[in-house]
């Protein structure tokens, strides 16, 4: 018994020594780190007081503090920033779908403002601003060295006022100026149309209206074609969609998936991760899908494209997406402002992060530059292609007695839809390619 007690005592002493030798240095390191933090804060206080007391001009204290906070956040990554009360209010309005400005989503790269995408139907879109453009000057003043928020502030102004931005574009030798008239931006989150037997739904952003607009667009397209069974497929157009609300991206993905993971997020700590799964129900009953993306498709757009691609639910067509695979959390702060802080990365169902890599399309299809409309002289030129002639144009042609009048009308209607789809190639080659894929799939009999 005495031996056991001695052994136990020895273990206790050893444990005490181990705790002293291991925990002691850890506590000392933590104290040293805390001391270093306080020293740095003291340094910040010294600099702050020096500026207030000795700078050549008097400066406003709140502006100094705001600049320090914003500098700390923007040093982390291009998407973290401080939102003063006015900017926070603007952001909340934007998620509801109406705000004033040019209509471009921007980020910062190499010190300049880079266009992620112009928004449909906005002044920037009408002026020809493209995804990937760099904005180097605003009204002749360089944006180099400014924070993103400062550069954006320069582009803000009263509705109806003019702004001149200097643009550098890949493939264009010299920078060029673009004049834009500021306007109230009213974002229609979803637009739908019917091309042949295909329903095309274009999503321009992910705000509070997106899922409702998608559902309404699918229902109106099915109604126009005479029912869901008459649809050969759906094209989901996410080109130049800069993203938005994560919740809406999840709802849009879930609209076409019956089960499985949609997206997962992973923060610094394992406990911070979240996983979002699909629920039963497919709005189009499993009909084939094509998703269109390009370099202006970012964030929430990439979540949708990645989820549908990984589940083999859709064929992704176009060019590589932007590659914004991080999650920003907007955290309200005292004084009615907020900070936008990158808190996690998101991952597609297969576990891949698209941060800085983007979503690679299954079929790469580049969009050719738009051709200028033909002049009257060109259309009437002698070498203009003549209209094709057929058997039906010949004098005294035999009639086709194998079809009823109703069947002939149906054939003519189908032919008209096919010609309309063919014209689409000149207007939007990528969309025409997507429609042709679905038309080809519908021509194949799929055996259960």
């Amino acid at each position: 018994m005495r031996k056991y007690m001695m052994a136990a005592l020895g273990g206790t002493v050893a444990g005490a020594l181990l705790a002293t030798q291991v925990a002691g240095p850890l506590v000392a390191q933590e104290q040293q780190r805390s001391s270093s933090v306080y020293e740095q804060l003291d340094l910040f206080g010294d600099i702050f007081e020096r500026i207030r007391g000795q700078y050549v001009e008097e400066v406003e204290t709140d502006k100094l503090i705001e600049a320090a906070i914003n500098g700390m956040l923007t040093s982390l990554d291009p998407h973290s920033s401080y939102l003063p009360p006015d900017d926070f209010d603007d952001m909340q309005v934007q998620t509801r779908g109406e705000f004033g400005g040019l209509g471009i989503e921007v980020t910062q790269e190499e010190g300049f403002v880079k266009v992620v995408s112009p928004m449909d139907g906005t002044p920037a879109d009408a002026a020809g601003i493209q995804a990937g453009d760099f904005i180097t000057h605003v009204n002749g003043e360089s944006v180099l060295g400014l924070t993103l928020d400062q550069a954006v502030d320069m582009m803000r102004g009263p509705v109806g006022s003019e702004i001149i931005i200097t643009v550098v574009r890949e493939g264009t030798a010299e920078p060029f100026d673009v004049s834009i008239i500021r306007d109230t931006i009213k974002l229609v989150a979803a637009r739908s149309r019917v091309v042949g037997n295909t329903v095309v739904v274009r999503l321009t952003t992910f705000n509070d209206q997106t899922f409702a607009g998608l559902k309404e667009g699918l229902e109106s397209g099915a109604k126009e074609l005479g029912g869901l069974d008459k649809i050969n497929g759906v094209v989901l157009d996410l080109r130049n969609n800069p993203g938005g609300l994560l919740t809406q991206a999840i709802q849009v993905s879930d609209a076409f998936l019956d089960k499985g993971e949609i997206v997962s997020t992973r923060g610094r700590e394992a406990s911070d991760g979240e996983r979002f799964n699909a629920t039963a129900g497919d709005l189009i009953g499993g009909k084939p899908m094509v998703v269109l993306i390009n370099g202006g498709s970012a964030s929430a757009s990439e979540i949708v494209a990645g989820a549908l691609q990984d589940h083999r639910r859709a064929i992704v067509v176009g060019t590589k997406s932007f590659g914004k695979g991080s999650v920003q959390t907007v955290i309200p702060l005292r004084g009615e402002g907020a900070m936008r802080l990158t808190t996690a990365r998101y991952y597609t169902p297969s576990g891949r992060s698209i941060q800085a890599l983007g979503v690679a399309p299954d079929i790469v299809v580049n969009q050719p530059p738009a051709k200028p409309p033909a002049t009257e002289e060109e259309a009437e030129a002698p070498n203009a292609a003549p209209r094709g002639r057929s058997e039906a144009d010949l004098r005294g042609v035999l009639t086709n007695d194998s079809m009823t009048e109703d069947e002939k009308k149906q054939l003519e209607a189908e032919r008209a839809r096919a010609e309309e789809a063919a014209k689409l190639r000149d207007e939007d080659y990528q969309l025409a390619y997507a429609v042709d894929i679905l038309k080809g799939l519908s021509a194949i009999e799929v055996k259960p």
Side-chain angles (χ1 to χ4, degrees):
M1 182 70 173
R2 194 170 182 181
K3 291 180 181 178
Y4 289 119
M5 289 181 66
M6 289 296 292
L9 180 61
T12 302
V13 172
L17 288 172
L18 182 63
T20 302
Q21 292 172 357
V22 175
L26 289 175
V27 171
Q29 288 176 15
E30 187 60 37
Q31 289 175 342
Q32 187 176 359
R33 275 197 292 267
S34 298
S35 175
S36 176
V37 169
Y38 287 120
E39 287 176 4
Q40 294 294 319
L41 289 174
D42 286 341
L43 175 62
F44 171 79
D46 290 343
I47 294 171
F48 178 72
E49 290 300 330
R50 290 272 183 173
I51 294 172
R52 288 182 64 196
Q54 299 179 18
Y55 186 64
V56 65
E57 296 177 352
E58 188 175 348
V59 291
E60 297 178 29
T61 301
D62 57 344
K63 294 294 183 184
L64 279 179
I65 295 293
E66 185 177 308
I69 294 170
N70 202 43
M72 179 167 53
L73 286 165
T74 55
S75 71
L76 300 173
D77 63 73
H79 307 294
S80 295
S81 63
Y82 174 64
L83 299 171
D86 289 345
D87 291 354
F88 186 32
D89 290 342
D90 288 345
M91 189 210 69
Q92 291 173 306
V93 170
Q94 287 183 35
T95 62
R96 293 193 292 271
E98 184 174 328
F99 57 96
L102 305 181
I104 49 174
E105 180 81 11
V106 294
T107 186
Q108 198 164 39
E109 188 173 304
E110 298 177 0
F112 292 108
V113 176
K114 183 178 182 180
V115 177
V116 175
S117 67
M119 301 170 187
D120 285 0
T122 62
D125 183 36
I129 300 300
Q130 298 179 9
D133 284 349
F134 282 91
I135 298 173
T136 62
H137 293 73
V138 175
N139 290 330
E141 187 175 344
S142 174
V143 300
L144 185 64
L146 299 181
T147 67
L148 185 59
D149 284 340
Q150 288 171 331
V152 169
D153 282 341
M154 290 177 65
M155 290 186 275
R156 290 191 175 122
V159 170
S161 62
E162 182 186 26
I163 178 175
I164 297 175
I165 60 174
T166 304
V167 174
V168 172
R169 179 175 296 166
E170 186 177 356
T172 302
E174 297 292 332
F176 57 93
D177 290 340
V178 179
S179 172
I180 304 176
I181 304 300
R182 298 179 178 96
D183 199 359
T184 299
I185 310 302
K186 295 182 179 179
L187 289 181
V188 179
R191 295 185 177 94
S192 66
R193 60 191 285 199
V194 170
V195 180
N197 291 327
T198 301
V199 177
V200 179
V201 181
R202 165 131 182 81
L203 301 184
T204 59
T205 187
F206 284 84
N207 62 21
D208 289 340
Q209 309 164 13
T210 303
F211 176 71
L214 168 72
K215 189 175 180 181
E216 183 180 341
L218 293 173
E219 289 172 351
S220 65
K223 184 178 180 180
E224 184 177 338
L225 289 173
L228 188 61
D229 59 323
K230 303 295 184 183
I231 296 175
N232 66 10
V234 168
V235 174
L236 187 63
D237 188 352
L238 300 178
R239 291 173 298 174
N240 292 331
N241 183 321
L245 300 177
L246 175 64
T247 52
Q248 289 288 310
I250 292 167
Q251 281 187 278
V252 169
S253 303
D254 195 6
F256 306 106
L257 295 172
D258 278 317
K259 60 181 179 180
E261 181 180 309
I262 293 172
V263 66
S264 61
T265 62
R266 303 177 200 170
R268 182 195 294 184
E269 304 295 336
S271 58
D272 295 335
E274 288 187 273
R275 175 177 170 173
F276 301 92
N277 295 317
T279 56
D282 183 335
L283 290 184
I284 58 172
K287 293 280 185 179
M289 285 188 69
V290 171
V291 175
L292 280 175
I293 61 171
N294 65 4
S297 307
S299 189
S301 299
E302 295 172 295
I303 289 175
V304 175
L308 297 179
Q309 184 182 54
D310 280 2
H311 282 286
R312 300 289 191 265
R313 180 63 187 89
I315 301 169
V316 179
V317 171
T319 55
K320 184 172 73 70
S321 64
F322 185 76
K324 181 183 177 294
S326 59
V327 179
Q328 280 69 49
T329 301
V330 177
I331 304 169
L333 302 171
R334 67 182 69 182
E336 299 183 353
M339 69 174 172
R340 184 192 292 116
L341 185 66
T342 300
T343 53
R345 290 182 175 86
Y346 68 73
Y347 295 79
T348 68
S350 64
R352 58 189 169 124
S353 169
I354 61 166
Q355 175 60 28
L357 296 177
V359 173
D362 299 308
I363 303 174
V364 175
V365 179
N366 293 309
Q367 182 82 307
K371 296 180 181 178
T375 63
E376 290 184 13
E377 292 79 5
E378 290 171 337
E380 295 174 0
N383 60 352
R387 186 181 73 85
R389 291 177 59 83
S390 69
E391 172 76 10
D393 297 316
L394 300 178
R395 187 190 301 273
V397 64
L398 291 173
T399 59
N400 188 319
D401 61 357
S402 68
M403 301 178 71
T404 66
E405 286 302 316
D406 287 343
E407 288 173 334
K408 288 179 182 178
K409 289 179 181 178
Q410 183 179 351
L411 178 63
E412 287 300 322
E414 290 175 357
R415 185 178 296 162
R417 284 197 294 268
E419 288 175 357
E420 181 189 352
K423 289 179 184 176
L424 188 62
R425 291 190 187 91
D426 293 330
E427 175 191 332
D428 189 338
Y429 183 79
Q430 289 176 325
L431 178 57
Y433 196 102
V435 170
D436 285 345
I437 287 175
L438 293 174
K439 185 177 179 182
L441 287 174
S442 68
I444 301 172
E445 182 181 358
V446 179
K447 297 181 180 179

